[in-house]
Amino acid sequence: MATSHLARKQASAHENRAGKELSGAQWARRFPGSRGTSDLSGTFRHAVEDFIAAMAEAGIRVKMDATYRPTKRYDLMHWAWRIVNDKADVSSIPAMGGVDIEWQHPAGADTVRAAEDMVGALSIRRLRTRPALRSQHNLGLAIDMSLSWHGTVSVKDANGKLVTIRTMPRTGMNRQLIEIGATYGVKKYGGGGRDVPHWSNNGR
Ligand SMILES: [Zn+2]
């Protein structure tokens, strides 16, 4: 009895009159993304799986971080980051379909603090530029992966040609590896070194 009363009281403390739930770290558990290639879309899925198989065969270590991510997660990432880093005015944040979040806390200071908690929980604290509102991840057409290897590796491209990589760096930023990925239809992010793990169907 006492417990349920307390639970009810806590729940109401986190909801405002419009039935929205206040922002906070708990939102990072909603609308989860995927790390599996099976959530990628159609032909891109097969391209990625073939590219990863070729890298694995060559002895390259592949650690997948994100494949598909729902748009709702992007709304949370984008606005939490902007409240913290751009001092975005919470009253100007547009409503998001299916995301009943209230960014404005009754005590003003809590608004930024809760957004900071979300930035941490969503793992975007180290981002220097605002996360995009939409991305190829929303369409299942992008993958984030960390790649590393030792010494020299020989990787088969999509045409069956074995390419020996002796160049640096031994990461996903390696020019030769980027060319190999492109033969499979997996394009390295074209915006420079800002998004090291990101590959997609079109380089965006
Ligand atoms: Zn990405």
Side-chain angles (χ1 to χ4, degrees):
M1 204 51 192
T3 326
S4 69
H5 175 69
L6 183 65
R8 215 166 27 239
K9 210 173 147 192
Q10 280 173 342
S12 65
H14 288 281
E15 277 179 22
N16 69 6
R17 268 169 293 171
K20 288 184 173 178
E21 182 183 334
L22 286 171
S23 63
Q26 80 278 8
W27 281 92
R29 294 193 300 270
R30 319 268 166 85
F31 323 121
S34 163
R35 290 171 177 231
T37 56
S38 59
D39 291 305
L40 291 172
S41 167
T43 52
F44 184 67
R45 170 187 174 174
H46 297 297
V48 166
E49 287 174 347
D50 289 349
F51 181 36
I52 288 177
M55 288 192 287
E57 203 183 317
I60 293 178
R61 205 171 145 246
V62 181
K63 188 178 160 284
M64 285 189 281
D65 289 321
T67 52
Y68 168 74
R69 280 201 206 108
T71 57
K72 291 170 184 172
R73 193 167 187 83
Y74 271 64
D75 287 324
L76 297 177
M77 289 162 62
H78 179 86
W79 290 109
W81 192 94
R82 291 197 58 190
I83 290 167
V84 173
N85 297 282
D86 285 348
K87 299 185 168 54
D89 175 8
V90 290
S91 66
S92 70
I93 297 177
M96 307 160 195
V99 187
D100 290 328
I101 188 168
E102 176 57 66
W103 297 98
Q104 177 74 60
H105 285 239
D110 291 343
T111 299
V112 176
R113 194 154 45 229
E116 276 168 357
D117 289 348
M118 284 181 67
V119 163
L122 289 160
S123 305
I124 52 172
R125 203 187 292 285
R126 279 185 291 165
L127 273 190
R128 296 223 192 111
T129 50
R130 65 175 68 160
L133 265 177
R134 294 293 172 263
S135 117
Q136 295 305 90
H137 284 290
N138 303 146
L139 304 169
L141 292 172
I143 177 169
D144 293 346
M145 53 187 173
S146 309
L147 308 173
S148 59
W149 62 92
H150 299 289
T152 301
V153 288
S154 296
V155 188
K156 215 174 260 176
D157 72 13
N159 307 312
K161 190 178 128 203
L162 207 56
V163 181
T164 299
I165 303 180
R166 295 191 180 86
T167 52
M168 301 292 269
R170 295 189 180 103
T171 70
M173 297 305 284
N174 182 286
R175 292 270 297 276
Q176 284 181 286
L177 189 64
I178 289 170
E179 279 173 26
I180 295 166
T183 66
Y184 287 92
V186 184
K187 314 254 177 72
K188 186 73 198 71
Y189 174 64
R194 286 188 297 138
D195 198 351
V196 173
H198 187 90
W199 302 69
S200 71
N201 67 317
N202 61 5
R204 290 190 199 152

